[in-house]
């Protein structure tokens, strides 16, 4: 997993060319023009524009993906995100290729707070629990860009 401000990650030469290209997409698109839902991009990638209210961790779930990396980009609001390695968690629902997701259960030991401008890149070995209340319940608007592995 990689996290940071979009402005910092975009200029980080240690990240590969493919990741840099994807991060450029996040900088170039005016997401205010998009409604919530799925939106197709070039190169076999797409994004979801999500709007939701943060919840208690007991109401959220752990997931990981095999076909696509998730790149979360916060537009508005603040959310707490749990993260772990898939080997540290118990599978509760086996991999579903249509949803490109495996679901897990595990303790919420490691968390980060994502705020506007923050990016989190999740790789196939990274389970993550998003949408968790940070300080108080609030609306979050974010992009989840899906990039084929």
């Amino acid at each position: 997993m990689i996290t940071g401000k979009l402005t910092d990650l975009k200029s980080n030469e240690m990240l590969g060319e493919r990741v840099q290209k994807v991060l450029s997409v996040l900088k170039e698109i005016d997401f205010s023009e998009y409604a919530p839902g799925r939106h197709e991009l070039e190169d076999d990638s797409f994004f979801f524009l999500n709007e939701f209210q943060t919840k208690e961790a007991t109401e959220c779930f752990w997931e990981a993906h095999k076909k696509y990396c998730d790149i979360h980009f916060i537009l508005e609001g603040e959310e707490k995100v749990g993260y772990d390695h898939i080997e540290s968690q118990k599978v509760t629902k086996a991999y579903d290729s249509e949803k490109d997701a495996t679901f897990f259960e595990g303790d919420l030991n490691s968390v980060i707070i994502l705020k506007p401008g923050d990016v989190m890149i999740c790789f196939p070995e990274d389970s993550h629990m998003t949408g968790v209340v940070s300080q108080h319940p609030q609306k979050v608007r974010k992009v989840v860009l899906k990039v084929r592995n």
Side-chain angles (χ1 to χ4, degrees), residues 53-114:
Q53 193 75 15
T54 56
K55 304 179 273 193
E56 294 299 323
T58 55
E59 300 175 67
C60 299
F61 56 89
W62 288 99
E63 66 178 348
H65 313 286
K66 289 184 181 182
K67 279 192 272 189
Y68 292 90
C69 288
D70 272 4
I71 301 178
H72 298 249
F73 177 51
I74 307 300
L75 300 170
E76 298 172 20
E78 178 179 299
E79 71 176 321
K80 185 185 294 184
V81 177
Y83 62 94
D84 205 342
H85 193 280
I86 59 174
E87 292 180 359
S88 299
Q89 297 192 314
K90 180 182 174 189
V91 174
T92 58
K93 186 172 179 195
Y95 181 71
D96 179 332
S97 61
E98 282 188 37
K99 293 182 180 179
D100 184 35
T102 303
F103 296 93
F104 301 87
E105 66 179 27
D107 295 329
L108 188 61
N109 294 322
S110 300
V111 298
I112 57 170
I113 307 295
L114 296 178

Side-chain angles (χ1 to χ4, degrees), residues 14-86:
M14 292 187 67
L15 298 175
E17 184 178 322
R18 188 167 178 216
V19 172
Q20 290 295 339
K21 183 177 178 183
V22 169
L23 294 174
S24 292
V25 168
L26 292 176
K27 276 196 83 90
E28 293 166 5
I29 294 177
D30 179 2
F31 293 104
S32 67
E33 297 179 7
Y34 288 88
R38 180 180 169 139
H39 304 276
E40 300 296 324
L41 296 170
E42 298 174 10
D43 300 331
D44 197 26
S45 60
F46 58 94
F47 69 88
F48 290 101
L49 183 61
N50 296 332
E51 292 181 355
F52 57 88
Q53 193 75 15
T54 56
K55 304 179 273 193
E56 294 299 323
T58 55
E59 300 175 67
C60 299
F61 56 89
W62 288 99
E63 66 178 348
H65 313 286
K66 289 184 181 182
K67 279 192 272 189
Y68 292 90
C69 288
D70 272 4
I71 301 178
H72 298 249
F73 177 51
I74 307 300
L75 300 170
E76 298 172 20
E78 178 179 299
E79 71 176 321
K80 185 185 294 184
V81 177
Y83 62 94
D84 205 342
H85 193 280
I86 59 174

